[in-house]
Amino acid sequence: MKRYQFWLLIWLPWLALIVTVLLRDGAPFPWVFAINTLILNLIATNVRRRQLGMNLASTIKAMVPGVGYHEWKRLYFAKP
């Protein structure tokens, strides 16, 4: 998976969730849709980390702001 495909897989579900919440005035919050968004992000991140050869600890460090700058740079911007 190329890095731009990864970015699309990460941001498109969140964009769809935001549009759904904004357009559904007065409706209850779509919890199933939000959980699906989180699961899709986890799947995309797992595929990307396996492609780059990163272990789970370094992937978690990459996701925590201010902790793993080099891991973050590798996860989001490396060319496989």
Side-chain angles (χ1 to χ4, degrees):
M1 167 185 324
K2 297 182 180 179
R3 59 184 165 183
Y4 301 116
Q5 291 172 337
F6 174 69
W7 292 348
L8 281 174
L9 287 175
I10 290 294
W11 287 106
L12 282 179
W14 288 106
L15 180 65
L17 177 65
I18 290 168
V19 169
T20 301
V21 169
L22 291 176
L23 293 179
R24 293 179 52 152
D25 292 333
F29 189 76
W31 291 104
V32 175
F33 195 67
I35 292 170
N36 189 23
T37 301
L38 290 174
I39 291 171
L40 288 173
N41 280 316
L42 289 174
I43 290 171
T45 304
N46 192 32
V47 169
R48 177 73 173 171
R49 85 168 177 90
R50 285 180 184 234
Q51 182 185 26
L52 293 174
M54 297 175 70
N55 59 10
L56 186 60
S58 63
T59 306
I60 292 172
K61 280 176 61 177
M63 291 182 185
V64 177
V67 174
Y69 174 72
H70 296 291
E71 290 85 359
W72 172 79
K73 191 167 62 172
R74 182 175 176 203
L75 182 66
Y76 289 101
F77 299 105
K79 292 181 183 178

